[in-house]
Amino acid sequence: MAPPAPPSKKPSLRVERALQRSGHRLLAGMDEVGRGALAGPVSVGVVVIDETVRSAPVGVKDSKLLTEKARTALVPRIQRWAVAHAVGHAGADEIDAIGIMAALRLAGNRALATLGVVPDLVILDGNHDWLTAPGEVGLFAFAEETGPTTPPVTTMIKADLKCSSVAAASVLAKVERDELMVALGGEHPAYGWTLNKGYAAPEHMDALARLGPCELHRRSWRLPGVHTGEQVEVFNEVTETIAPTPMTAEQTGTAIR
């Protein structure tokens, strides 16, 4: 007897179908990009599906695993496939004002507000529900007469690798944010955003050290190379604390998204 085939490494609708069978007919996959950038917005994509949609367009996977050309080509196909879709952003000034987690929540809710439909459930990549406001968690959700304003959320580690809806959302967010950073790069060419999209690439770091930050940098983040004479530090958006840079990108939570 032939050995069983290994499980597919491509995202599928298996998780979504199980959730739909349990009563969540209208599902939203959600993912963020730009969390670890030093400049520009954090962006959140959302893709809504129901039980009538078929398998996702061929090639849909986590945006980090796709080339720029492949991501861009998938956008119109994802938009036609989904019941609804949107991308929301929160700018560097908002990140500085309220912190990265609240900015993620702001961007996610902006995306939800433009959908035109209200999902029964949101599948969120990761193990932390940054979308639901703290006052809407658990018993607090019904403390106000209006009830919760955010749809129910389920989190899943590596959902962008398992769920087609989440992978599709990551593609939409990545393409839209990259296009925005390229446009902003025309206004601030010295930082090389057309290539690095605001992440800590060598040419970006060099420009920061020479020129300092512009108004589109996340100034609350103790930007690397800016604070001369001090130990260079990087903001850790997971714990909202400062971490010394000898740690790896994964340890500081600044891996490119």
Side-chain angles (χ1 to χ4, degrees), residues 12-13 15-20 23-32 44-51 53 78 81-87 107-126 129-132 149-156 159-160 162-170 172:
S12 70
L13 292 177
V15 171
E16 288 94 329
R17 295 304 189 217
L19 290 169
Q20 286 167 338
H24 305 290
R25 187 187 72 83
L26 203 60
L27 287 174
M30 181 175 282
D31 201 8
E32 55 78 18
V44 174
V46 57
V47 166
V48 179
I49 64 168
D50 62 18
E51 70 275 10
V53 302
I78 290 171
W81 170 70
V83 171
H85 58 84
V87 179
N109 279 293
R110 282 172 174 166
L112 288 172
T114 63
L115 283 176
V117 298
V118 179
D120 297 320
L121 184 70
V122 176
I123 305 171
L124 198 62
D125 182 44
D129 177 6
W130 44 258
L131 181 64
T132 307
T149 59
T150 305
V153 171
T154 184
T155 60
M156 179 177 295
D160 51 359
K162 301 173 184 176
C163 302
S164 292
S165 63
V166 178
S170 77
L172 296 187

Side-chain angles (χ1 to χ4, degrees), residues 42-231:
V42 64
S43 303
V44 174
V46 57
V47 166
V48 179
I49 64 168
D50 62 18
E51 70 275 10
T52 69
V53 302
R54 300 190 177 187
S55 298
V58 174
V60 167
K61 62 177 71 173
D62 176 20
S63 62
K64 298 186 296 297
L65 304 178
L66 295 167
T67 65
E68 180 180 357
K69 182 178 180 180
R71 287 193 299 265
T72 303
L74 279 170
V75 167
R77 298 171 62 195
I78 290 171
Q79 292 173 338
R80 289 192 299 267
W81 170 70
V83 171
H85 58 84
V87 179
H89 309 278
D93 57 336
E94 293 172 317
I95 294 170
D96 287 341
I98 62 178
I100 187 63
M101 288 302 178
L104 280 168
R105 185 177 309 120
L106 180 61
N109 279 293
R110 282 172 174 166
L112 288 172
T114 63
L115 283 176
V117 298
V118 179
D120 297 320
L121 184 70
V122 176
I123 305 171
L124 198 62
D125 182 44
N127 61 0
H128 173 63
D129 177 6
W130 44 258
L131 181 64
T132 307
E136 295 184 357
V137 174
L139 295 176
F140 293 108
F142 303 97
E144 301 291 335
E145 291 183 3
T146 56
T149 59
T150 305
V153 171
T154 184
T155 60
M156 179 177 295
I157 296 173
K158 297 190 182 301
D160 51 359
L161 300 178
K162 301 173 184 176
C163 302
S164 292
S165 63
V166 178
S170 77
V171 171
L172 296 187
K174 174 67 173 169
V175 170
E176 188 163 319
R177 184 183 185 277
D178 281 1
E179 290 176 347
L180 180 59
M181 291 306 297
V182 168
L184 293 173
E187 302 172 13
H188 302 274
Y191 299 103
W193 292 341
T194 56
L195 296 176
N196 62 60
K197 310 303 187 293
Y199 291 99
E203 71 276 10
H204 189 184
M205 302 282 278
D206 177 66
L208 266 174
R210 289 185 294 105
L211 305 173
C214 72
E215 70 275 12
L216 297 175
H217 280 93
R218 302 173 185 181
R219 294 168 179 253
S220 61
W221 283 36
R222 300 295 296 272
L223 297 165
V226 173
H227 296 269
T228 57
E230 302 178 8
Q231 183 181 21

